Amino acid sequence: MEAPTMHCAGLIIFLLLGLTEAGVSYSKPAQCKEVNECFSYDLVCETPDYEVRHYNASKWVATNITSLIMEFAGYQGFTRIFQYIQGNNAEGKHINMTAPVLLQIPQNEGIMEFKNYIIYFLLPADYQQSPPAPTDANIYFIDFPDMYTYVKSFSGWLLAWNSKLNASKLRQQLNNAGEHYDSNYYYGACYNSPKTLVDRHNEVWYIAEGAPVCPKHVP
Ligand SMILES: *[C@@H]1O[C@H](CO)[C@@H](O)[C@H](O)[C@H]1NC(C)=O
Ligand SMILES: *[C@@H]1O[C@H](CO)[C@@H](O)[C@H](O)[C@H]1NC(C)=O
Ligand SMILES: *[C@@H]1O[C@H](CO)[C@@H](O)[C@H](O)[C@H]1NC(C)=O
Ligand SMILES: *[C@@H]1O[C@H](CO)[C@@H](O)[C@H](O)[C@H]1NC(C)=O
């Protein structure tokens, strides 16, 4: 089937263009293999099924896309943001690629329905305080608060069908564990270039509401 090339390929063909020589001198998440800066976190606890992470407050570049198809939304949204980081901004600045690229996916279960997706790009540390203003009116900045996330990882390509299955499994496991989370949407997190054929890493996230419970047998 052709589908696997759509979302991550679309997203990531562009990501590849943004790739630079590895020059890592600080610790970063294990799944952060293809860029210098990733959204880093502290692991709060984990189970065989999911991780609970704590993320500090952060600033992102975002754009909304309404689409019937998640993979198209990811492609169109990232294409737009890619223009911004390639220098189509008020200061003509070239901004290095970061990971993951996040896709906010509405929870409603309808299949052939237009949905509003949001694509997010993490600003590198150097631009967290004062990123160059966008020239495209569809691009905006958003501050993520300090947050706890529930994360389920899976391999392969980040596509609508497997994101949905993994999110639904995660939801079930969180419900069983008595965890509280925002059930209106989840995030798909994409880390790899389309040239990476093995060891691909994707995640789905729910944002915690209140403090995570965490299983008792882990610190
Ligand atoms: C962007 O990436 C290149 C290559 O890794 C690196 O030399 C440069 O310092 C990075 N730029 C910034 C502003 O971090
Ligand atoms: C989050 O912020 C706290 C307080 O500034 C700091 O100690 C911690 O290392 C930060 N965590 C990450 C993953 O950057
Ligand atoms: C983007 O979508 C979110 C969620 O639907 C909405 O709250 C926000 O107003 C939208 N922003 C823009 C600029 O369209
Ligand atoms: C998660 O997605 C992967 C595809 O990469 C799939 O093999 C796996 O079955 C999915 N997990 C669940 C619980 O559906």
Side-chain angles (χ1 to χ4, degrees), residues 118-132:
I118 308 180
I119 294 83
Y120 298 96
F121 168 82
L122 176 69
L123 285 157
D126 283 358
Y127 291 104
Q128 280 283 313
Q129 297 303 323
S130 51

Side-chain angles (χ1 to χ4, degrees), residues 14-15 20 22 33 72 94 107 110 117 132 138 157 163 172 205:
F14 291 101
L15 189 153
T20 48
K33 292 177 179 155
F72 289 169
H94 186 291
Q107 185 65 63
Y117 295 89
N138 294 309
W157 302 83
S163 305
Q172 190 186 318
W205 300 1

Side-chain angles (χ1 to χ4, degrees), residues 27-31 39-56 147-153 191 201 203 205 212 214-215 218-219:
S27 75
K28 51 184 192 173
Q31 64 272 23
F39 193 24
S40 60
Y41 56 86
D42 295 304
L43 184 65
V44 177
C45 61
E46 60 185 325
T47 79
D49 300 318
Y50 58 88
E51 291 175 24
V52 182
R53 298 177 181 167
H54 176 256
Y55 284 99
N56 286 336
M147 63 187 184
Y148 291 97
T149 62
Y150 300 107
V151 178
K152 183 185 272 305
S153 299
Y191 288 84
H201 181 94
E203 294 164 353
W205 300 1
C214 272
V218 286

